[in-house]
Amino acid sequence: MLQVNRDDKNPIWQQLLDQAIHHITTGKWPPGELLPPSRELALLVGVSRSTIQIVYEELFSRGYTVTNWRGGTRVSEWGFKTNLAEEVIPQGPSTPTLPLLNVAVDELNSWFRGKENGNVAIDFCPHEPYLDEHFRKTWRQSFLQASAETDLTNWGYGDAYGFTPLREQIQRYLTFERGVHVEIDQIILTSGAQHSIDLIAQALLKEGETVSVEDPGFPAAWMTMKYRRMNVVAVPVDEYGVQVEQIDPQTKLIFVTPSHQCAVGVIMSEPRKQQLLQKSAKNQFWIVEDDYDGEFRYRGGPLPTLFSQQPHNTLYMMSFSKMVAPGIRISAVIGPKDAIRQLAQVQQLTYRHLPIMEQLTLAHFIEHGHFMRHMRRARNVYRRRHEAMTKAIMATGLAERFKLSGIETGLHMLLEAEESFDEEAMTNLALVNGIRVYPLSKYCLENNRKGWVLGFAKIDEQAIEEGIFRLAKILLQET
């Protein structure tokens, strides 16, 4: 029978309900057993009838009992055995093995390198931009003001294309800063380059189709495409950019970084660009142009985009990870209306839309001039650090022993060695000496090129100079 514990802090009805459920699930009240009428049970337990009615209603609503106006309240046909507790397996279904996913994540972590253990004094990280307290202050201002000014309707389900005012600000930026003229429905917002590539794979490709990537190149591009079960083919890169004549004739898409080749750092020559555009038009494949840090150029202004020359089969990827901060997770894909519409449909099905607060803040940040002021300040910082890096490499003699490239644009440069160079051993030796460098081999799919991709955005001039001199001491003594 049910009992009330007056010292128990739980409500009386909860105590009685817990006891009733225990009696049913353990078989003490077997299936089909008729429970006493509520009035009768209330007298037996010593509580009000309304308390018992609450218990009976809860049992019924949870499926423990069934009721009939003639037959009263009975225990449901649960089919539990009295020894049920002994038969319960204390674990869920096994997690499936996903070799493609595991390999891709391992490779991605190996490329990105994360924050390995070790006494790292100087990190030549090529992945992250310069940020300072001034940025944090202005971003916070935009966050607070955008929060206060936004209409409540913006907090509902949003547009799969992205927040319209932010896309309008991006449209203005592309027009006036990059010479790219598009309509608003040619822009879709994503949560980063990998998200952009994944959307493109889902929306514009079929499983098993051939995709070409630069080699060396952006590892996340081929990892994402492989995970989507595409046939990924490597295309070598030389001093003029991707070798167009080696693009697989069956390719349906090629991923390129023409403004500052990811890893090698070269700028795709104009003849090579025209060759790529002509081949794409003739063979009818997509060009995905990733302009991840092309805004930072040290000789002249930003270069014209492939998209501006051939917009009908080019998808232009821009990211605020390098221009602002990776943490805001906002990028954009610009392309033909039909293609962008298809990406938006996939986004609506799988992701719905991006979080609104980051979009509101970035739109405010751009509209009120903070973005361009941040870019001007960052460009000045990068110019000084770029000069410090170049001078240090020249002064130490590293440029005589290794080939230096990628110095005109972007936030990293390449110090390339011969293929016989023991890259892994030298990387580990540098780490032991407090210097983290990023091996070129991690950017290679099939290529055997060796060297180091050295970023300079996050370290000041003094640290750059010290790091390069310490690196030179290690390399020139060991080679």
Side-chain angles (χ1 to χ4, degrees), residues 157-178:
Y157 288 106
D159 191 336
Y161 282 83
F163 186 49
T164 299
L166 176 53
R167 289 189 292 136
E168 289 172 346
Q169 292 300 325
I170 291 173
Q171 180 190 38
R172 286 176 54 81
Y173 172 78
L174 291 171
T175 299
F176 295 111
E177 298 295 327
R178 301 309 310 268

Side-chain angles (χ1 to χ4, degrees), residues 446-461:
E446 296 176 356
N447 216 299
N448 292 319
R449 295 173 72 167
K450 302 289 179 61
W452 285 327
V453 177
L454 303 176
F456 52 82
K458 289 204 69 175
I459 47 180
D460 61 32
E461 293 88 325

Side-chain angles (χ1 to χ4, degrees), residues 114-128:
K115 297 300 177 186
E116 299 163 339
N117 295 328
N119 184 25
V120 177
I122 300 171
D123 189 346
F124 287 103
C125 176
H127 308 304
E128 297 183 31

